[in-house]
């Protein structure tokens, strides 16, 4: 099979790696990819949101399956556009991707089907939002309705901060139309867990749980980022908790989407928080998470291409796969300054030396320049290791990190450490 993966980050590198191990694969393409992905797939210089470009390329090259990985093209309807031309595509259609595309939709869905989540209000004009915020409990969580590169959530500790959030989201429109409406919700306290699940709308099979590290600096300080590291499985996600989630969250969500005529086929990401009143949903994503995928997929044992095909055909219950009973850790190496201003174009040293230690290196923001591999984004690499022992997996990953260097490199030194 000829397969095209759409996207170009660490998550797509991990997906490409697993697909490249499939017996059914004859040729792998990735658009737009990155320097690391180019070692296992042919790079196609088409942007991940260029729907017309991806459709045309797929037609011209007789692609058998397109895997649409990032949120934007899914929410924009890339899968629908491909299907319309008779091209098979993995990922939810636009109708189902709304579960991530609109926080108002997902909150209303959870309310209607009694899926545990934070209490909330929706506002479509700044005056009413501010009026409500005068009497709201603090901290208050203020969310732009639509996609905002993971930056559309502001946790305001008082009215003053809340005012600033409403101004930037609804008046200054820093996230564009994503800020036409806001969701204001109660602040939940607890540990966050990510569970990615395969579903074809009839069956839902969770992968190993994971925990992300969203803040830029050690001890969960600094700004929120796209994720500075992850590990899998989460030590606090017990068998009992998994059962609770299956009964109260995972199956009800799949069935709710069916009842709304929005059957979800793809990977559904549950952003969960374990509170003293049980597990609640913080958010849904309509895709694999980044960097959770770089920690979770190395544990996957089976043929990922076969799983993707089974999901499209509605026979997920028939395919066999499992997850290794090991601990997996991913440490993100970023450009200094990220998630704010940073510089790129710096040569990356030590990649082969790190690989020779047995770690996997997933590229995120890298590209080739004059025969060298240079930085090209905020998050640059994910260095990942597995072991039976959690502490050893962390050590191995950091041994890999130590071999790699580039100017102004930044990484957290405490990924997973709170659990050992
Ligand atoms: P989201 O994009 O909805 O996942 O939100 C980004 C981050 O904001 C989450 O990973 C949480 O750390 C935090 N967050 C979102 N909603 C809440 C909430 N209701 N209570 C506490 N923290 C939250
Ligand atoms: N790691 C969070 C996300 O993928 O949105």
């Amino acid at each position: 099979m000829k397969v095209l993966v759409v996207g170009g980050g660490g998550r797509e590198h991990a997906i490409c790696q697993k697909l490249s191990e499939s017996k059914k694969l004859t040729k792998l393409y990735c658009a737009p990819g990155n320097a690391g992905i180019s070692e296992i797939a042919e790079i196609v210089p088409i942007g991940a949101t260029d729907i017309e470009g991806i459709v045309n390329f797929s037609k011209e090259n007789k692609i058998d399956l397109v895997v649409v990985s990032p949120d934007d093209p899914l929410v924009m309807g890339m899968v629908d556009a491909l299907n319309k031309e008779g091209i098979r595509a993995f990922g939810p259609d636009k109708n189902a991707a709304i579960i991530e595309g609109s926080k108002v939709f997902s909150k209303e869905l959870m309310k209607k089907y009694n899926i545990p989540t934070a209490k909330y209000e929706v506002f479509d004009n700044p005056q009413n939002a501010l009026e409500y915020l005068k009497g709201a409990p603090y901290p208050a969580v203020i969310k732009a309705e639509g996609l905002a590169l993971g930056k559309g959530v502001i946790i305001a500790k008082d009215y003053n901060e809340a005012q600033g959030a409403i101004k930037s989201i609804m008046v200054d429109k820093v996230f564009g139309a994503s800020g036409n409406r806001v969701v204001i919700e109660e602040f939940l306290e607890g540990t966050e867990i990510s569970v990615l699940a395969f579903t074809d709308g009839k069956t839902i099979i969770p992968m190993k749980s994971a925990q992300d590290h969203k803040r830029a600096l050690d001890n969960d300080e600094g700004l929120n980022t796209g994720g500075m590291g992850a590990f899998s499985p989460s030590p606090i996600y017990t068998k009992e908790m998994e059962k609770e989630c299956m009964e109260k969250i995972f199956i009800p969500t799949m069935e709710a989407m069916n009842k709304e005529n929005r059957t979800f086929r793809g990977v559904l990401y549950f952003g969960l928080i374990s509170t003293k009143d049980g597990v609640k949903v913080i958010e849904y994503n309509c895709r694999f998470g980044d960097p959770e995928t770089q920690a979770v997929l190395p544990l996957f044992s089976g043929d990922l291409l076969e799983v993707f095909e089974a999901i499209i055909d509605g026979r997920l219950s028939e395919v066999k796969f499992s997850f290794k009973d090991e601990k997996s850790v991913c440490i993100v190496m970023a450009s200094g300054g990220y998630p704010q201003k940073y510089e790129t174009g710096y040569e990356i040293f030590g990649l082969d030396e790190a690989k020779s230690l047995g770690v996997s290196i997933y590229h995120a923001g890298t590209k080739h320049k004059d025969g060298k591999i240079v930085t090209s984004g905020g998050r640059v690499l994910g260095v990942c290791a597995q072991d039976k022992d959690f502490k050893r997996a962390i050590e191995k990953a950091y041994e890999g990190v130590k071999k790699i260097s580039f100017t102004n490199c930044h990484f957290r030194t405490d990924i997973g450490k709170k659990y050992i």
Side-chain angles (χ1 to χ4, degrees):
M1 280 176 70
K2 288 162 87 173
V3 178
L4 166 66
V5 173
V6 175
R11 167 182 57 198
E12 286 75 26
H13 194 176
I15 292 169
C16 283
Q17 179 59 46
K18 274 291 156 191
L19 291 176
S20 72
E21 293 162 16
S22 168
K23 283 197 282 297
K24 298 175 96 176
L25 186 87
T26 52
K27 173 94 190 168
L28 186 61
Y29 297 90
C30 186
N34 61 40
I37 295 174
S38 76
E39 287 170 20
I40 50 176
E42 183 173 323
I43 297 303
V44 179
I46 300 174
T49 53
D50 180 353
I51 294 184
E52 205 187 319
I54 294 290
V55 169
N56 289 339
F57 177 87
S58 303
K59 274 203 288 196
E60 283 158 19
N61 293 276
K62 301 200 167 50
I63 300 295
D64 299 301
L65 176 70
V66 181
V67 177
V68 184
S69 172
D71 45 354
D72 307 60
L74 288 167
V75 171
M76 287 161 67
M78 186 180 277
V79 167
D80 310 60
L82 287 159
N83 288 343
K84 211 167 130 226
E85 296 294 328
I87 302 159
R88 267 161 86 75
F90 176 76
D93 60 13
K94 185 175 179 176
N95 208 24
I98 192 174
I99 198 164
E100 173 168 5
S102 167
K103 290 194 193 287
V104 174
F105 171 84
S106 66
K107 293 301 282 191
E108 282 170 357
L109 185 84
M110 288 187 270
K111 190 187 231 174
K112 183 167 169 189
Y113 293 93
N114 279 317
I115 297 165
T117 189
K119 291 197 204 74
Y120 71 100
E121 302 283 339
V122 179
F123 297 94
D124 61 10
N125 92 56
Q127 282 73 37
N128 294 353
L130 288 173
E131 202 48 52
Y132 169 79
L133 283 162
K134 277 183 190 153
Y138 284 91
V141 182
I142 302 168
K143 302 184 174 186
E145 173 182 16
L147 298 183
L149 294 168
K151 293 176 189 153
V153 176
I154 295 168
I155 297 173
K157 67 174 183 306
D158 52 31
Y159 180 69
N160 199 26
E161 280 188 14
Q163 255 182 325
I166 295 299
K167 181 170 182 297
S168 72
I169 297 174
M170 300 190 88
V171 182
D172 301 342
K173 298 262 183 210
V174 294
F175 306 117
S178 284
N180 288 351
R181 291 196 285 182
V182 291
V183 172
I184 301 179
E185 58 179 47
E186 74 176 307
F187 179 79
L188 298 176
E189 242 166 298
T191 302
E192 287 182 56
I193 304 159
S194 311
V195 177
L196 286 56
F198 295 114
T199 178
D200 60 0
K202 297 183 228 167
T203 308
I204 184 157
I205 306 179
M207 302 178 216
K208 280 275 173 100
S209 63
Q211 278 180 231
D212 188 1
H213 293 63
K214 288 210 161 87
R215 301 291 205 95
L217 308 175
D218 282 11
N219 303 315
D220 292 331
E221 285 172 15
L223 294 170
N224 255 323
T225 69
M228 292 299 294
F231 58 83
S232 171
S234 160
I236 67 156
Y237 190 70
T238 57
K239 279 267 168 259
E240 295 74 58
M241 201 184 276
E242 181 170 27
K243 186 162 175 280
E244 172 190 342
C245 290
M246 205 65 188
E247 284 167 8
K248 296 192 173 152
I249 297 173
F250 303 160
I251 293 173
T253 301
M254 177 182 75
E255 287 175 348
M257 290 298 276
N258 288 339
K259 287 196 191 113
E260 297 294 312
N261 284 319
R262 293 177 184 275
T263 294
F264 190 101
R265 296 179 192 87
V267 170
L268 186 50
Y269 169 125
F270 297 89
L272 307 169
I273 186 162
S274 169
T275 74
K276 61 176 177 16
D277 307 316
V279 181
K280 298 187 180 184
V281 177
I282 292 253
E283 65 160 346
Y284 293 114
N285 291 329
C286 64
R287 50 171 173 86
F288 281 100
D290 191 330
E292 289 93 333
T293 302
Q294 294 89 307
V296 172
L297 272 190
L299 299 176
F300 173 88
S301 157
D303 187 327
L304 190 62
L305 184 46
E306 219 168 82
V307 176
F308 286 176
E309 287 220 282
I311 288 173
I312 296 172
D313 297 334
R315 45 177 184 80
L316 176 61
S317 65
E318 294 168 22
V319 279
K320 298 258 176 296
F321 58 89
S322 59
F323 285 86
K324 287 180 217 148
D325 186 21
E326 286 183 12
K327 318 294 179 209
S328 183
V329 177
C330 173
I331 293 144
V332 170
M333 301 182 76
S335 298
Y338 171 78
Q340 290 176 302
K341 213 167 136 338
Y342 55 84
E343 284 164 12
T344 59
Y346 296 118
E347 183 172 0
I348 304 171
F349 300 96
L351 289 168
D352 290 336
E353 229 184 308
K355 255 188 238 165
S356 70
L357 296 178
V359 299
S360 319
I361 302 169
Y362 298 115
H363 290 225
T366 69
K367 65 173 188 190
H368 286 287
K369 193 182 169 206
D370 306 327
K372 295 169 182 156
I373 295 179
V374 302
T375 64
S376 69
R379 288 188 292 175
V380 177
L381 301 166
V383 181
C384 306
Q386 291 78 42
D387 197 275
K388 287 268 175 219
D389 178 55
F390 190 35
K391 184 161 175 273
R392 187 64 202 120
I394 296 172
E395 283 167 4
K396 270 194 203 168
Y398 276 108
E399 282 160 17
V401 166
K402 264 190 232 145
K403 298 285 179 203
I404 300 170
S405 62
F406 52 86
T407 303
N408 293 340
C409 166
H410 166 68
F411 57 87
R412 277 181 62 160
T413 65
D414 65 343
I415 302 302
K417 286 200 177 148
K418 131 165 119 190
Y419 292 98
I420 53 174

